[in-house]
Amino acid sequence: MSTSSHAKGGKHRQILVTSALPYANGPIHLGHLVEYIQTDIWSRFQRMRGHDCVYVCADDAHGTPIMLRAQREGIKPEELIARVAEEHQADFAGFHIQFDNYHSTHSKENRELAELIYRRLRDNSHTFSRTITQAYDPEKEMFLPDRFIKGGCPKCGAEDQYGDSCEVCGATYSPTELKNPVSVVSGATPIEKESEHYFFRLADFQGMLQYWIKGDHMQPEIRHKLEEWFESGLQDWDISRDAPYFGFEIPDAPGKYFYVWLDAPIGYMASFKHLCEQRDDLNFDDYWRKDSKAELYHFIGKDIAYFHTLFWPAMLSGSGFRSPDAVYCHGFLTVNGLKMSKSRGTFIMARTFLDHLNPEYLRYYFAAKLSDGIDDIDLNLEDFQQRINADLVGKVVNIASRCAGFINKRFGGRLESQISEPALHREFVEAGEAIAELYEKRQYNQAMRRIMALADRANQYIDEKKPWVLAKQEDKEEEVQAVCSTGLNLFMILTAYLKPVLPAMAKEVESFLHIAPLTWNNYSVPLIGHTISQFKPLMTRVDPDKVEAMLEASKADLKAEPPQITPADKRQGPLDKDPISPTIEFDDFAKLDLRVARIKAAEHVDGADKLLKLTLDLGGETRQVFAGIKSAYSPDKLEGRLTVMVANLAPRKMRFGVSEGMVLAAGPGGDELYILGPDAGAKPGMRVK
């Protein structure tokens, strides 16, 4: 179903919108806010158009990590998720995220719906059970998820890798294949133990899903990725976990719990059901039954597309509910071109931003960057300051500040009694439908460009008329009033167009202009013979000192965190030092052929969390190398740089291609990696001696 088709013809719409549920195991950071701001802008726009748009969300409150964190803090999981829910909602409110309902997956509504969906799937033979062998922590007496086991990669030997895949070479494997595996929970060596698990037959829905993904339900990039899963065959999905586990027990299966990814998306339904119980104008079945005419949209990150575009529609179909009209994915957030970093102070919490800066700065900056695609967006802090100062302060608010003073001081706050520039006013009004179409399609960046072009046009008009010059001439009073009245009417229209992005500023403008709340239906009516209030500054320039203070506070947040002692840390000693490897002989070192190489090209690797694909020039010879440095570098920062590589390393076949060497880097890992480079004057192909 194409959303743009709904926007045409003035059809009244019933819309239910959700964002992915934040995990109740930590605070909201700026990376999270990309999604909630994107969704909130779209929801606010739909309401301004006069549609019934309901936006619900909830905390994702189940799973092993929450259970273990509560144990570490010496509290019950229920206490932990209640505290985090309060923190999350305060952060969202600070950024003007307007939920109609915010709930929790640990709720009676979610339990009832999860059990209902499971029973319907079970009764229709879409589930089954079988005995599997799992890793088990003998000290904690619990089965271990793959991500709670670490060890050496069985393919490349890299240490400290998770139990499902290697972030260095990209290999996938089972936890039983790890070298020297340890439990992340206790440090004990896991043992193998059998357990009965429950599975969902995803392949039962292959035909339905293949038909569904061919529709206008997701971005083309996501659709192409899903087609790869169909080529390899849809696998049965393990939907159960063993006690101890914080979640809902599976009906008629004592000691077995729903896997968090089963009941998490059902949380969308549960939050809406909870809202329906509070509002007489909403009926749950009207939105969720198979033949529903209401629209359903999910906004999520591209990393969880698989769950939302395969498992979720299959679960809904198999249990008698409708499928989503669309699942909209977005990319990740980088800061200053790099992955967010605690050491650099760029891993910024929502609360830290709110402590230092106006939240609408971020709302506008994200809007100026967001498109309908899944590309990552970058928060460049220098560009952030310049764009806010130039666009919002220098262009938009500047219109009101230039005009309101004359109207207040010379005309008692009263605007002219007729529109003196009807053609210009009409030009601004007629831009509204094109801007609305861009909002509808989630092309916010293009919408912001259109709006700022109009702001430039308004400022150009004021510059041409020069009311400050006219005000010095006694016979030009009416012309001063006309010019400034036109300017304020254009400012009102711009405010309406920006209201989904800047709701707080729009409310101040409505108060200043003495008007009813702006909608997409009333901004076209000009203010004539109308009295306004005294103008007060609506937005100030970004203070660079506050940006620096925010970065420093983010670094301080890191220092305040208690060190997370893991089994690997216990083996290695101090947290800030790596152990010295066993000594080697000179002959061993002499076998290494280290060469200077120039990075001709660098690119992301689809499906790899930490790898970049590098094309290296060794002075007449070109090599392809996969390097685990994605967390520290964006590709555009690497191209043209010199580095050092191991040139005689045997080629290694990976699932992404063949790696023909290894580049050298130093650092503790994560986003703190630094590729080694020679001094100026070195040439590609030179041997490092």
Short mmCIF file of all heavy atoms in Angstrom, two decimals, residues 567-586:
data_model
loop_
_atom_site.label_atom_id
_atom_site.label_comp_id
_atom_site.label_asym_id
_atom_site.label_seq_id
_atom_site.Cartn_x
_atom_site.Cartn_y
_atom_site.Cartn_z
N PRO A 567 35.06 -12.09 32.45
CA PRO A 567 36.05 -13.18 32.61
C PRO A 567 37.36 -12.87 31.92
O PRO A 567 38.42 -13.16 32.43
CB PRO A 567 35.33 -14.37 31.96
CG PRO A 567 33.88 -14.06 32.11
CD PRO A 567 33.77 -12.57 31.98
N ALA A 568 37.30 -12.24 30.74
CA ALA A 568 38.54 -11.92 30.03
C ALA A 568 39.37 -10.94 30.85
O ALA A 568 40.59 -11.05 30.92
CB ALA A 568 38.22 -11.34 28.66
N ASP A 569 38.71 -9.97 31.49
CA ASP A 569 39.44 -9.01 32.31
C ASP A 569 40.15 -9.71 33.45
O ASP A 569 41.26 -9.36 33.82
CB ASP A 569 38.48 -7.96 32.89
CG ASP A 569 37.84 -7.12 31.80
OD1 ASP A 569 38.51 -6.87 30.79
OD2 ASP A 569 36.68 -6.74 31.96
N LYS A 570 39.51 -10.69 34.05
CA LYS A 570 40.11 -11.40 35.19
C LYS A 570 41.38 -12.14 34.77
O LYS A 570 42.34 -12.21 35.52
CB LYS A 570 39.09 -12.40 35.76
CG LYS A 570 37.90 -11.73 36.46
CD LYS A 570 36.93 -12.78 36.96
CE LYS A 570 35.71 -12.14 37.61
NZ LYS A 570 34.71 -13.11 38.03
N ARG A 571 41.37 -12.66 33.54
CA ARG A 571 42.57 -13.38 33.07
C ARG A 571 43.69 -12.40 32.76
O ARG A 571 44.85 -12.69 32.93
CB ARG A 571 42.25 -14.18 31.81
CG ARG A 571 41.34 -15.37 32.05
CD ARG A 571 41.46 -16.35 30.88
NE ARG A 571 41.31 -15.70 29.59
CZ ARG A 571 40.15 -15.49 28.99
NH1 ARG A 571 39.04 -15.85 29.58
NH2 ARG A 571 40.11 -14.92 27.80
N GLN A 572 43.32 -11.20 32.26
CA GLN A 572 44.33 -10.30 31.73
C GLN A 572 44.88 -9.32 32.74
O GLN A 572 45.87 -8.67 32.50
CB GLN A 572 43.75 -9.53 30.54
CG GLN A 572 43.41 -10.46 29.37
CD GLN A 572 42.78 -9.71 28.22
OE1 GLN A 572 42.56 -8.51 28.30
NE2 GLN A 572 42.48 -10.40 27.14
N GLY A 573 44.22 -9.17 33.88
CA GLY A 573 44.71 -8.23 34.87
C GLY A 573 44.10 -6.86 34.69
O GLY A 573 42.91 -6.75 34.43
N PRO A 574 44.89 -5.76 34.83
CA PRO A 574 44.34 -4.40 34.77
C PRO A 574 43.53 -4.16 33.50
O PRO A 574 43.88 -4.64 32.42
CB PRO A 574 45.59 -3.51 34.81
CG PRO A 574 46.63 -4.35 35.46
CD PRO A 574 46.34 -5.77 35.03
N LEU A 575 42.44 -3.40 33.65
CA LEU A 575 41.53 -3.16 32.54
C LEU A 575 42.17 -2.36 31.41
O LEU A 575 41.77 -2.48 30.27
CB LEU A 575 40.28 -2.41 33.04
CG LEU A 575 39.39 -3.18 34.00
CD1 LEU A 575 38.24 -2.28 34.42
CD2 LEU A 575 38.84 -4.44 33.37
N ASP A 576 43.15 -1.52 31.72
CA ASP A 576 43.68 -0.64 30.69
C ASP A 576 44.94 -1.20 30.03
O ASP A 576 45.64 -0.51 29.33
CB ASP A 576 44.00 0.74 31.28
CG ASP A 576 45.00 0.66 32.42
OD1 ASP A 576 45.23 -0.45 32.91
OD2 ASP A 576 45.54 1.73 32.81
N LYS A 577 45.25 -2.45 30.29
CA LYS A 577 46.44 -3.03 29.68
C LYS A 577 46.11 -4.37 29.05
O LYS A 577 45.33 -5.14 29.57
CB LYS A 577 47.54 -3.24 30.73
CG LYS A 577 48.10 -1.94 31.31
CD LYS A 577 49.21 -2.25 32.29
CE LYS A 577 49.79 -0.97 32.88
NZ LYS A 577 50.85 -1.25 33.85
N ASP A 578 46.73 -4.63 27.88
CA ASP A 578 46.62 -5.95 27.26
C ASP A 578 47.80 -6.79 27.73
O ASP A 578 48.90 -6.27 27.97
CB ASP A 578 46.67 -5.83 25.74
CG ASP A 578 45.39 -5.24 25.19
OD1 ASP A 578 44.34 -5.48 25.79
OD2 ASP A 578 45.47 -4.53 24.17
N PRO A 579 47.62 -8.10 27.86
CA PRO A 579 48.73 -8.95 28.28
C PRO A 579 49.79 -9.03 27.21
O PRO A 579 49.49 -8.92 26.01
CB PRO A 579 48.06 -10.32 28.49
CG PRO A 579 46.89 -10.30 27.55
CD PRO A 579 46.41 -8.88 27.54
N ILE A 580 51.04 -9.13 27.59
CA ILE A 580 52.13 -9.31 26.64
C ILE A 580 52.11 -10.76 26.16
O ILE A 580 52.05 -11.69 26.97
CB ILE A 580 53.49 -8.99 27.28
CG1 ILE A 580 53.50 -7.53 27.77
CG2 ILE A 580 54.61 -9.23 26.27
CD1 ILE A 580 53.30 -6.50 26.69
N SER A 581 52.13 -10.95 24.84
CA SER A 581 52.11 -12.31 24.30
C SER A 581 53.41 -13.02 24.62
O SER A 581 54.43 -12.37 24.90
CB SER A 581 51.92 -12.25 22.78
OG SER A 581 50.71 -11.59 22.45
N PRO A 582 53.41 -14.35 24.54
CA PRO A 582 54.66 -15.10 24.76
C PRO A 582 55.73 -14.64 23.78
O PRO A 582 55.44 -14.24 22.65
CB PRO A 582 54.23 -16.55 24.49
CG PRO A 582 52.75 -16.57 24.72
CD PRO A 582 52.26 -15.23 24.29
N THR A 583 57.00 -14.72 24.21
CA THR A 583 58.11 -14.26 23.37
C THR A 583 58.26 -15.16 22.14
O THR A 583 57.91 -16.34 22.16
CB THR A 583 59.43 -14.26 24.15
OG1 THR A 583 59.68 -15.59 24.64
CG2 THR A 583 59.37 -13.30 25.30
N ILE A 584 58.79 -14.56 21.05
CA ILE A 584 59.08 -15.31 19.83
C ILE A 584 60.54 -15.10 19.47
O ILE A 584 61.20 -14.19 19.97
CB ILE A 584 58.18 -14.87 18.66
CG1 ILE A 584 58.43 -13.38 18.32
CG2 ILE A 584 56.70 -15.08 18.97
CD1 ILE A 584 57.72 -12.91 17.06
N GLU A 585 61.04 -15.95 18.59
CA GLU A 585 62.42 -15.83 18.13
C GLU A 585 62.49 -14.83 16.97
O GLU A 585 61.51 -14.58 16.28
CB GLU A 585 62.95 -17.20 17.67
CG GLU A 585 62.99 -18.24 18.76
CD GLU A 585 63.90 -17.85 19.90
OE1 GLU A 585 64.95 -17.20 19.64
OE2 GLU A 585 63.58 -18.19 21.05
N PHE A 586 63.74 -14.30 16.72
CA PHE A 586 63.92 -13.33 15.64
C PHE A 586 63.54 -13.94 14.30
O PHE A 586 62.98 -13.27 13.43
CB PHE A 586 65.37 -12.83 15.59
CG PHE A 586 65.59 -11.83 14.48
CD1 PHE A 586 65.22 -10.50 14.65
CD2 PHE A 586 66.13 -12.22 13.26
CE1 PHE A 586 65.40 -9.57 13.62
CE2 PHE A 586 66.31 -11.30 12.23
CZ PHE A 586 65.94 -9.97 12.42
#
